[in-house]
Amino acid sequence: MHHEYSILFHPINALLTMLLGAPPEAWQKAMGVAGEAGVWLPDHVIMAFLVFLIFAIVLPILSRRFREDVPGGAQNVLEVLVDFLRGLIKENIPHTGEKYLPVVGAFFFFIVASNLVGQVFILQPPTSSLNTTFALSLSCLVFFNAAGFRAHGPIGYLKTFAGPSMALAILVFPIEMIGNLARGLSLAMRLFGNIYGEHTATNQFVELVPFLVPMPMNALGIFGSFLQAYVFTLLTTVYIGGAIAHEH
């Protein structure tokens, strides 16, 4: 399979090789780049670090410009997005949902930024890699199940998978557990499939007709970046709400 790389892939790995020497075989195997000479980090990891770096630089600058009386343009946009996330949480996680805002917000903003990185043609979206999307979905899976354990206790939470009738629990429990684990798989595959497909199609248009024609694809890509982040975040709040809900 042909792999495309961002403009940072070769310089970053060359710098790491110059500073640290050739990457050990065990490290390359762990990173999924076994047999690729001089490669310390795969491209999706470099792009993910780039997203983190952007947040680490931009957010402190924006926080110093925060004004309650006369908010600026960037502050208005952020406040709209945060209010939107609060509404989403309130709808799916009533009463105690506010405490989940940092986690839900982290998912939303990281996925949006990762998707939008792909609109710069010299870069690659981290979310076009299954490694990234599975890391995100696994984090979501662990988090909402941990929230369920905290809300119900270990035994109480496991009982929620047994169904309403103990007579049928032996059949219902494994089905519910499989369905629970499948949530992580569906989150990862949905995000990966949409971002990878959109990014690949846009690149093909750019190679065939580099002027004007890719512009509608870029607009569609920006819309898709926010849409896929919204879907992932929405399902995260739904899963958290379902895990901590108490049946009456």
Side-chain angles (χ1 to χ4, degrees):
M1 180 184 294
H2 173 67
H3 295 277
E4 294 183 356
Y5 300 109
S6 72
I7 195 173
L8 299 177
F9 176 72
H10 294 294
I12 293 294
N13 279 293
L15 177 62
L16 290 173
T17 301
M18 182 179 66
L19 295 175
L20 305 175
E25 182 178 344
W27 172 271
Q28 284 196 310
K29 186 176 180 179
M31 290 289 103
V33 290
E36 299 185 33
V39 176
W40 276 89
L41 297 174
D43 201 30
H44 66 273
V45 173
I46 296 174
M47 290 294 98
F49 275 123
L50 176 63
V51 172
F52 288 131
L53 182 62
I54 291 172
F55 281 130
I57 294 173
V58 172
L59 292 183
I61 294 175
L62 293 178
S63 66
R64 287 196 293 268
R65 297 181 179 180
F66 179 83
R67 298 290 185 273
E68 291 187 3
D69 49 353
V70 186
Q75 182 178 334
N76 282 326
V77 172
L78 286 175
E79 288 181 352
V80 168
L81 291 175
V82 171
D83 285 342
F84 165 75
L85 291 175
R86 280 199 171 102
L88 197 64
I89 291 171
K90 185 177 180 181
E91 180 180 350
N92 296 297
I93 317 173
H95 310 304
T96 60
E98 186 70 19
K99 67 180 181 180
Y100 297 108
L101 178 61
V103 173
V104 173
F107 277 127
F108 178 80
F109 284 106
F110 176 78
I111 293 172
V112 164
S114 297
N115 294 347
L116 290 176
V117 162
Q119 300 305 308
V120 182
F121 293 121
I122 58 175
L123 302 177
Q124 295 287 325
T127 42
S128 67
S129 167
L130 272 175
N131 293 291
T132 303
T133 60
F134 266 110
L136 289 167
S137 65
L138 181 61
S139 299
C140 175
L141 182 69
V142 171
F143 183 82
F144 78 74
N145 281 298
F149 277 110
R150 286 196 301 268
H152 301 279
I155 302 300
Y157 184 59
L158 290 175
K159 284 183 178 179
T160 64
F161 294 95
S165 172
M166 294 305 296
L168 296 176
I170 193 172
L171 296 175
V172 174
F173 186 82
I175 294 174
E176 289 291 332
M177 289 300 298
I178 292 172
N180 183 273
L181 297 175
R183 291 173 174 178
L185 177 63
S186 65
L187 283 174
M189 296 303 296
R190 181 186 297 106
L191 181 59
F192 162 74
N194 282 279
I195 300 305
Y196 178 82
E198 179 275 325
H199 186 68
T200 302
T202 301
N203 282 343
Q204 293 298 320
F205 275 103
V206 171
E207 292 179 4
L208 294 173
V209 187
F211 301 104
L212 297 179
V213 173
M215 294 178 64
M217 295 295 296
N218 284 341
L220 184 62
I222 294 172
F223 172 75
S225 297
F226 281 91
L227 177 62
Q228 293 307 314
Y230 164 73
V231 171
F232 193 102
T233 307
L234 171 64
L235 291 176
T236 298
T237 60
V238 170
Y239 295 156
I240 294 173
I244 67 175
H246 292 273
E247 297 296 336
H248 299 283

